[in-house]
Amino acid sequence: MKTVATFLLLLPRNIIVVLLRIYRAVISPLYGDVCRYYPSCSGYGLQAVQEHGVIVGGFLAARRVARCHPWAAGGIDDVPRRQPARYGLTRFGFVVPAGHGKA
Amino acid sequence: MDILGTILWPIKWVIELILVGFHTLWTAIGMDPAAGITWVLSIVGLVLIVRAALIPVFVRQIKSQRKMLEVAPQLKKIQDKYKGKRDQFSREAMSRETMALYKKTGTNPLSSCLPLLLQMPIFFGLFSVLNDAQHDKAGVGMLSRDLADSFANSELFGAPLRATFLDNGGNPLVMVIAAVMVLLMTASQFITQLQIMAKNMSPEAKNSPMFRQQKILLYILPLVFAVSGVAFPLGVMFYWLTSNFWTMGQQFLVIRNMPTPGSEAAKAREARLQKRGKLAPPEPSTGATIVIEEKKPAQRAQPVGKSRAKKQSGGKKR
C-alpha cells in the first residue's frame, strides 16, 4: 500500500524526468552547448524536479531559464539541495524511494 | 483567446507591422502589391530585421570568444588535468571548472538559449499569421483582411504562399517548390553544422562524447527537417530558408575571421595572416615550451622522500 502511494507521489516527477531525458537526448544536441551556466538549464531542471518535485522544481527551473540570457555572468549554479535526501535515483534518473538504486 | 494566442498576440502584432511595412515599401517602389514576389521579399525583410536585432547578442559572443585567447593557457590546464578521462564524474568536474573559469574571467563564450527561444515565437507567430490569413481572417494589427487575403493567395511561380506540401489544393507546383525548399533548407543546415564541426572546434571539443552525438545528428537532422518541412506553408518556409541562409553566412564570416582558438579554422587564419605578413611566424622557442607543457603529467606526482627517490632511480639504471 505504501509502495503504491509512493509510486503515485513520485509519478509526476518521473514523467517529467522522462520528458527531460528525451529533450536532452534529442533536442539539446541540435544546437550544441549554449548554456552559460553549469549545470545547463535542462540539467538544472532535471535535478530540480528530481529533488523538489514538479511544482517547486518546475518553479526553480523557470527562474533559472529566466536568469540565463546573454548578459548574465553565468558560471556554476547548482540546484539548492534538500537535506536530508529523501529519495534515491536510478541510473536513468528516475526518482525511487531511498534504498533502491544508488542513493 | 486561448493562452497561446495571448502570448503570441504582441509577437504577431510586430510581425504584421514589419510585413505590412515592407509590403508598403515594395509597393511604393513600383512592385505589384498582389504578386507573390512582393510578399516573399516582405518575408525576407522580416528575417533581416529579426536577425539584425539579434546581432548585438552575436557580437557579444564573439567578443568573449576573442577574450578566450587570454584565458587559453588556464583552459588548457584544466583540459590537461582531465585528459583521457572519459568517465561521467571527470567530465562533470571538468565542465564545472571550465564554467567557473569563464565566470571568473568574464569570458563566457556561450550565448544562452535566449536567441533560440526568441526565434521560436516569431516562427510560430508567422505560421499563425499565415494560417489566419488562409482562413480569411484579418490579422491582429496592421494586416487588414484585404491584405491578409492578398498575402495568403499571392502566388510565386504559380504556387500560393499559404499552401503546404500536404495541403496543396491539387497543385503539383506547390509540391515541387516545397520539395526544392526543403532540399535547400536541409543543405544549408547541413553546411552550417558541418563547417562548425569540421573547422571551428578545438581538438578537445572534438574528443568529447558530445561531439560524437552531434556527428550522428548531423545526418539524422536533415531527415527530421525534411519530414517536418512538408507541413509548413510556403510563406513560413521562406522565412525559415532565409534565416538559414543568414546563419550560414554569419557562421562563415565568424569561422573565417574569429575562429575558435585551437581549431582548424584558427590555424588556417594564422597561416593566411602570415602569408600576408600581418602576423609574425611563431618562434621556435615558444613551440618548444608548449611541447614540454604537454608532456607534464596530468596529475601532480606524489612527493617522494630522498631515500625512495634514490632507490627508484637506482632501480631503473638510467
Side-chain angles (χ1 to χ4, degrees), chain B residues 44-175:
Chain B
V44 171
L46 176 69
V47 174
L48 295 187
I49 287 194
V50 168
R51 297 307 299 261
L54 287 173
I55 284 182
V57 172
F58 192 65
V59 166
R60 206 191 134 80
Q61 202 183 338
I62 293 161
K63 273 189 185 158
S64 25
Q65 267 180 5
R66 281 198 167 169
K67 264 207 242 162
M68 284 275 282
L69 279 176
E70 296 161 26
V71 290
Q74 284 157 281
L75 205 58
K76 180 136 182 47
K77 232 182 239 170
I78 295 176
Q79 279 161 350
D80 282 348
K81 188 169 152 193
Y82 293 102
K83 204 171 213 168
K85 292 194 179 165
R86 293 264 179 277
D87 61 297
Q88 195 195 351
F89 289 104
S90 303
R91 287 279 140 206
E92 272 173 22
M94 184 172 152
S95 317
R96 199 170 271 272
E97 279 182 43
T98 311
M99 209 44 105
L101 175 71
Y102 287 158
K103 188 181 185 182
K104 205 177 78 192
T105 50
T107 52
N108 204 324
L110 306 165
S111 63
S112 89
C113 46
L114 192 70
L116 284 157
L117 280 182
L118 274 178
Q119 291 239 70
M120 236 174 278
I122 295 171
F123 195 75
F124 285 114
L126 186 63
F127 184 84
S128 164
V129 166
L130 267 170
N131 208 39
D132 284 356
Q134 182 184 4
H135 295 105
D136 251 351
K137 270 198 284 182
V140 296
M142 306 294 289
L143 200 69
S144 65
R145 204 175 148 177
D146 285 347
L147 278 171
D149 201 44
S150 153
F151 185 20
N153 290 311
S154 60
E155 293 184 348
L156 191 74
F157 310 124
L161 289 183
R162 66 183 159 94
T164 71
F165 186 85
L166 297 175
D167 183 14
N168 54 34
N171 188 345
L173 266 171
V174 174
M175 291 176 104

Side-chain angles (χ1 to χ4, degrees), chain B residues 173-207:
Chain B
L173 266 171
V174 174
M175 291 176 104
V176 174
I177 293 174
V180 168
M181 277 169 68
V182 164
L183 273 182
L184 282 174
M185 237 153 38
T186 312
S188 60
Q189 185 81 26
F190 192 80
I191 292 168
T192 308
Q193 284 284 98
L194 196 67
Q195 67 176 348
I196 295 174
M197 284 166 51
K199 293 182 191 162
N200 206 32
M201 277 189 148
S202 59
E204 289 83 4
K206 274 189 181 171
N207 281 327

